[in-house]
Amino acid sequence: MSDPCDCFGGDEDESLLPAYESSPELALAALLSLMTSFPARRSPAVARSIIAHLQVVSTDPRLDGLLRDCAAQLVCNWQALELLSLPVAGPLAAAIPPGVN
């Protein structure tokens, strides 16, 4: 069985991902869960975890090629969302309501 995922530690080390080698569907299920939770939190850590899971899905040869290609294409979009979800620094930060980055 896979180890628990500690994907929110801020480290981009893929060794923190569960061992999906026995069941690639678990990576896909985790990815869907992370993607649906992102709008509520808009956290860069969640975005980084989504990116890591997209990379796992995009490189697993057991998954359908169309699914792998789709995941690979989404990586750049989620990298941009990670940057957009970073907190704004400086005097402007006080003028922006929480959760709006």
Side-chain angles (χ1 to χ4, degrees):
M1 190 74 185
S2 298
D3 295 326
C5 183
D6 183 23
C7 301
F8 302 112
D11 192 313
E12 295 185 47
D13 184 2
E14 287 190 18
S15 67
L16 297 177
L17 295 173
Y20 291 127
E21 68 275 351
S22 62
S23 184
E25 297 82 11
L26 289 176
L28 188 55
L31 176 60
L32 291 172
S33 178
L34 287 163
M35 288 176 132
T36 57
S37 70
F38 181 79
R41 298 186 59 192
R42 294 190 51 92
S43 162
V46 174
R48 278 191 297 276
S49 186
I50 290 169
I51 293 164
H53 280 78
L54 283 169
Q55 291 168 337
V56 168
V57 169
S58 71
T59 59
D60 194 318
R62 297 169 296 173
L63 295 172
D64 183 75
L66 184 59
L67 179 62
R68 291 193 318 264
D69 290 344
C70 180
Q73 291 174 9
L74 288 172
V75 169
C76 289
N77 294 351
W78 281 97
Q79 288 171 334
L81 285 170
E82 176 190 1
L83 292 176
L84 289 172
S85 64
L86 291 171
V88 177
L92 184 58
I96 299 174
V100 178
N101 292 350

